Amino acid sequence: MTETVLQDSKLFSLAGRRALVTGASRGIGLTLARGLAAHGAEVVLNGRDPERLDESRRALRDEGIDAQVRAFDVTDQAAVIDGVAAIEDEIGPIDILINNAGIQRRAPLDQFPRADWDALISTNLNAVFFVGQAVARHMIPRGRGKIVNICSVQSELARPGIAPYTATKGAVKNLTKGMATDWARHGLQINGLAPGYFATEMNAALVADEAFTDWLSKRTPAARWGQVEELVGAAVFLSSEASSFVNGHVLMVDGGITASL
């Protein structure tokens, strides 16, 4: 019995693995980095703001986690290629990529500014392709690797005022399937992790809106907002050997909102 339990526990171990997490200076990205580290991974935090990344690294260090940081703009393909190469050369091979960087913009669709549309496409979609491709180019020769693209409940559902965001997350869902279709034969597993409504900084205004929170509680079978720590288990599963034959899948962590009318 004990031997079986130990063998099963190794399925979820990330010991000896290195994970790059984009958009990791706060929110979901930082929480996932912390969770992967707790399961044995060496984590590299990415973001655009070096000072904020250093603050996050210090916070993790106070918790006993010795994270690395690399600041580069994931919307700049040349910067991504150089940044990923530097991590591979100076820190070591990237075994796991959590493609998390993302933004939100809200406005009625008929009045949606072009600049906000472009920003959403650049950060939420282009960056997933740029970082995924750059990392995969190193993973493919090694014959292994895990890529987890952060999708959304909006990969499946729409809501007024965020149609462009919904478009980007729907595209990330299908890009994930395309990555798996092209790269699974090389030993890579590429999957999506789709949060529902979580209490994050990006959703702070909605969390504070009593009417919206009341609507969400009634609309969601779990009847509450998700807490970001509840994403860690799914991320560990998709990053570990436990998901060795899972490819092109989008795992919803949404309290059941996509399961019900």
Side-chain angles (χ1 to χ4, degrees):
M1 179 68 174
T2 302
E3 183 179 351
T4 301
V5 171
L6 289 175
Q7 288 175 347
D8 289 346
S9 69
K10 291 178 183 178
L11 283 174
F12 299 94
S13 172
L14 302 178
R17 301 300 190 195
R18 184 172 295 102
L20 169 63
V21 185
T22 69
S25 59
R26 61 180 179 176
I28 288 174
L30 182 58
T31 298
L32 294 184
R34 179 184 289 113
L36 297 186
H39 284 76
E42 177 185 351
V43 293
V44 182
L45 312 180
N46 162 260
R48 285 187 284 196
D49 187 335
E51 292 184 5
R52 183 173 285 175
L53 281 175
D54 283 337
E55 289 176 8
S56 299
R57 175 170 57 180
R58 288 193 295 271
L60 292 180
R61 187 170 293 166
D62 290 343
E63 300 169 19
I65 298 170
D66 187 18
Q68 302 278 348
V69 298
R70 284 295 185 274
F72 56 85
D73 184 352
V74 292
T75 69
D76 180 337
Q77 188 174 28
V80 168
I81 292 169
D82 290 344
V84 167
I87 293 170
E88 290 269 340
D89 293 342
E90 299 167 12
I91 300 176
I94 298 168
D95 303 294
I96 301 160
L97 167 64
I98 308 293
N99 240 335
N100 169 73
I103 60 172
Q104 175 65 288
R105 297 287 187 271
R106 297 181 175 91
L109 184 57
D110 58 303
Q111 301 171 31
F112 207 89
R114 169 65 188 273
D116 286 349
W117 169 271
D118 289 343
L120 284 166
I121 294 293
S122 182
T123 303
N124 293 359
L125 180 56
N126 289 351
V128 173
F129 168 65
F130 293 160
V131 184
Q133 183 189 65
V135 170
R137 286 172 173 169
H138 294 272
M139 290 178 168
I140 287 170
R142 292 193 287 264
R144 60 180 175 83
K146 301 277 189 173
I147 297 176
V148 180
N149 295 327
I150 302 302
C151 300
S152 170
V153 66
Q154 265 79 46
S155 296
E156 298 290 345
L157 302 174
R159 191 172 63 78
I162 59 167
Y165 178 85
T166 301
T168 64
K169 289 301 184 177
V172 171
K173 170 191 169 183
N174 269 359
L175 179 58
T176 299
K177 293 177 180 293
M179 288 177 170
T181 301
D182 276 21
W183 297 338
R185 68 186 64 128
H186 300 293
L188 279 60
Q189 287 87 51
I190 305 92
N191 294 290
L193 171 56
Y197 284 91
F198 279 74
T200 64
E201 292 179 38
M202 193 165 77
N203 286 330
L206 294 178
V207 174
D209 185 331
E210 292 184 7
F212 184 87
T213 294
D214 181 62
W215 170 84
L216 179 67
S217 297
K218 293 175 180 176
R219 174 66 179 82
T220 305
R224 63 176 175 85
W225 287 89
Q227 300 302 310
V228 290
E229 293 77 14
E230 293 177 289
L231 293 167
V232 170
V236 170
F237 166 66
L238 294 176
S239 299
S240 70
E241 288 304 306
S243 59
S244 61
F245 201 56
V246 180
N247 240 317
H249 178 69
V250 176
L251 176 55
M252 290 285 175
V253 184
D254 65 358
I257 197 168
T258 54
S260 67
L261 290 174

